[in-house]
Amino acid sequence: MDSKVLYAIIAVAVIAIAAVAAFTLLNNGGNSDDADHTGKSFDDTRLRIYGNANGDDLIDKTDLSTINWIIKSNMDSDSSKHVDWAKDYPLADANYDGKVDDKDSAVVQDIIDKKKTRMYYYNKYERVTYVNYPISDKIGAEYLILQLLPAIKSYSMLKAIDDTTPSIYNNVYPGVDKMPVMGTWREITIESLTDLYNKGTIGTFMQWTGGQNVDYIWDKAVASGLSEKMSFVIVPCQGPDVIQGVLELACMLGNQSLSDDYRKWYDSAMEKLDSIEGKIAGGKKTVTAVRCYNDKVGSMAAFGSSQGPALWFNKVIKFQPDYVGKTNFTTIGSVENFVSSATDEVIVMFQKNCDWSEFNDLVDSYLTAVYGTTEQFKHERMYAIDFEIMPFAAGPAGCYILASYLYPELFKMDEALDFLQVYLDDFAVRSGANARQGYTYTGPGYSS
């Protein structure tokens, strides 16, 4: 045989063997030392599920690669190659047993393959708890955290609610007035959840993570054994951390693609809103944020910067010093007190279960009754926005609209309303919702 032909055959064989080796390596998690194993700090990680070893927005083969690299590095006799995974890769311990080994690779592979396993995660209350992966798509949710389901286009998974939901969201979320009730808000019991589980009504419970709620239900779920059968989802649903809740819920369901569209929409808003601080002389404006939930002057109250419904406001304003760090309302009590403390511009959160075509008239009558004598109201420096689009998954659109009021040199109202319309079209469940009707106050001088 001609030597040139022989060399060619050998070269092809070598290439083929290398290709097979590379394929095998990739499909076994990828242990290549030249792979990128850059981790993220815990604070910079949005998907706080154990097994997300590299801290990105997905649990996938790259996490297997990272875990296997940690295992290999820590077996090396050269201690300089050892990896401090607890510090640099805190989510690599997929089975949460205090070490990183082959069992963690097995858990991640089960997650990728959508096989049943226990999935540990760092919950809203800064505790490590678990769900039975993949979680049941028969979901019972308290009245505010249910808003995560439309964000992943899975509203049809809602099968039970608390007793507050129909009175607040009957014309926002279809069918809630006909759904089984888990119990009284803040007082849902293990007994009521067990009953619905035994009836086959729900297999997952989503607890609201705001206000004065505490992690009480989890400990009782463990003690009763219900946590072994039903999954308890306790993820963020308010403020910018809502992206964590969206990503984690989709991952827990075993379909991470459910969060793709929302993540893109959310990130596009963050790119715009994060520019405020650097582009405005002096940074964000100091603005007073107040509520207007009824037409009684005695209900005057200001939001605190750490209060659940107000967390999104931090993206577009600075809070007055007196309200920074407050987790609850600060009662203003009178028009005189409001006038003496309010800044030049005021944001109003308006909460009222009404048809969207009635929103503008209701806001006008409420603001007139409560704040009508103030300079802010009389001179169109009081901006009202609907509670439905501000605190939760729609918050990026609410921020965009408020930024258009406060920083018109940077943001255009038409573009902000178009951005809200994308949310309403892609994620909301209210039929026929129109961004230009019923979400932000359109009184004279306020918006086009």
Side-chain angles (χ1 to χ4, degrees):
M1 181 181 291
D2 187 286
S3 59
K4 292 182 179 179
V5 174
L6 179 61
Y7 290 145
I9 292 173
I10 292 173
V12 170
V14 169
I15 292 171
I17 291 170
V20 170
F23 178 83
T24 302
L25 188 63
L26 178 63
N27 284 276
N28 282 283
N31 292 313
S32 175
D33 288 335
D34 59 1
D36 181 7
H37 297 299
T38 303
K40 282 190 176 182
S41 70
F42 194 79
D43 289 341
D44 291 333
T45 299
R46 305 196 295 190
L47 184 69
R48 296 182 176 183
I49 291 177
Y50 286 81
N52 182 22
N54 63 358
D56 63 8
D57 287 344
L58 294 170
I59 293 182
D60 56 17
K61 291 286 187 181
T62 63
D63 299 298
L64 280 177
S65 174
T66 299
I67 290 171
N68 292 337
W69 169 73
I70 291 171
I71 296 169
K72 180 181 178 182
S73 298
N74 288 351
M75 290 174 63
D76 199 299
S77 59
D78 184 353
S79 61
S80 67
K81 294 182 179 180
H82 290 190
V83 178
D84 185 354
W85 64 264
K87 175 185 176 183
D88 299 325
Y89 303 88
L91 296 173
D93 183 11
N95 67 347
Y96 198 63
D97 67 349
K99 54 184 179 292
V100 175
D101 54 24
D102 291 341
K103 292 179 181 178
D104 299 300
S105 296
V107 170
V108 172
Q109 190 64 61
D110 283 345
I111 292 172
I112 293 170
D113 294 339
K114 301 180 184 179
K115 292 181 179 179
K116 292 183 179 180
T117 189
R118 181 174 284 186
M119 174 183 276
Y120 290 89
Y121 70 106
Y122 189 79
N123 75 23
K124 168 62 179 175
Y125 298 113
E126 299 183 349
R127 291 181 58 184
V128 178
T129 49
Y130 61 81
V131 296
N132 304 302
Y133 174 85
I135 64 173
S136 168
D137 60 2
K138 294 181 178 180
I139 296 175
E142 291 183 297
Y143 83 107
L144 293 177
I145 196 168
L146 70 83
Q147 300 195 28
L148 293 183
L149 291 172
I152 60 170
K153 304 182 181 181
S154 301
Y155 177 69
S156 61
M157 294 181 185
L158 183 65
K159 304 300 181 185
I161 40 86
D162 63 29
D163 67 350
T164 303
T165 307
S167 62
I168 294 180
Y169 287 130
N170 190 35
N171 72 337
V172 177
Y173 295 104
V176 293
D177 57 330
K178 300 178 178 64
M179 289 184 183
V181 175
M182 296 178 292
T184 302
W185 176 56
R186 290 187 182 171
E187 296 180 5
I188 292 175
T189 65
I190 289 296
E191 290 75 19
S192 66
L193 293 176
T194 300
D195 180 59
L196 289 173
Y197 174 82
N198 289 337
K199 290 177 179 177
T201 304
I202 61 174
T204 296
F205 171 59
M206 291 171 56
Q207 182 184 9
W208 179 47
T209 54
Q212 299 172 13
N213 263 19
V214 293
D215 199 4
Y216 71 94
I217 200 75
W218 173 253
D219 294 326
K220 293 181 179 180
V222 172
S224 69
L226 188 58
S227 64
E228 299 294 318
K229 299 178 285 188
M230 177 185 287
S231 292
F232 288 76
V233 175
I234 311 169
V235 296
C237 68
Q238 294 180 306
D241 286 348
V242 70
I243 187 63
Q244 295 178 26
V246 171
L247 292 171
E248 290 166 2
L249 180 58
C251 188
M252 290 173 180
L253 284 162
N255 186 355
Q256 297 179 86
S257 66
L258 289 173
S259 60
D260 286 351
D261 289 344
Y262 181 85
R263 177 166 54 93
K264 292 174 184 175
W265 179 83
Y266 173 101
D267 286 345
S268 67
M270 294 304 101
E271 290 178 9
K272 299 176 186 296
L273 295 171
D274 287 343
S275 69
I276 294 174
E277 196 74 59
K279 292 185 177 180
I280 297 292
K284 291 177 289 189
K285 292 182 177 181
T286 300
V287 175
T288 307
V290 298
R291 68 181 182 187
C292 193
Y293 294 173
N294 57 53
D295 58 359
K296 309 300 180 186
V297 172
S299 69
M300 281 186 168
F303 287 101
S305 66
S306 296
Q307 187 177 358
L311 293 175
W312 273 114
F313 288 149
N314 290 294
K315 296 296 295 184
V316 293
I317 67 168
K318 292 178 182 176
F319 281 77
Q320 291 191 63
D322 288 348
Y323 306 139
V324 171
K326 296 291 181 65
T327 58
N328 218 325
F329 289 111
T330 299
T331 301
I332 299 173
S334 69
V335 176
E336 289 75 21
N337 289 342
F338 171 85
V339 170
S340 66
S341 64
T343 49
D344 184 57
E345 294 173 291
V346 172
I347 292 172
V348 180
M349 184 94 83
F350 185 87
Q351 185 177 25
K352 178 68 177 176
N353 184 27
C354 63
D355 186 271
W356 60 87
S357 62
E358 301 170 355
F359 178 83
N360 198 64
D361 290 340
L362 278 170
V363 172
D364 197 58
S365 63
Y366 277 28
L367 290 182
T368 300
V370 180
Y371 298 104
T373 61
T374 68
E375 291 299 306
Q376 287 87 353
F377 180 76
K378 289 189 290 186
H379 296 289
E380 289 93 28
R381 296 195 303 273
M382 180 168 283
Y383 311 121
I385 193 160
D386 183 12
F387 186 83
E388 185 181 334
I389 68 162
M390 196 63 218
F392 306 103
C399 283
Y400 200 157
I401 290 169
L402 292 175
S404 299
Y405 284 133
L406 298 168
Y407 314 104
E409 67 275 30
L410 290 182
F411 302 94
K412 295 180 180 179
M413 179 59 71
D414 278 345
E415 293 177 359
L417 294 174
D418 288 343
F419 189 73
L420 171 59
Q421 191 63 54
V422 172
Y423 177 86
L424 297 174
D425 292 342
D426 291 352
F427 310 112
V429 293
R430 177 188 276 188
S431 178
N434 185 339
R436 287 166 169 77
Q437 185 179 50
Y439 293 94
T440 183
Y441 186 46
T442 55
Y446 287 86
S447 69
S448 57

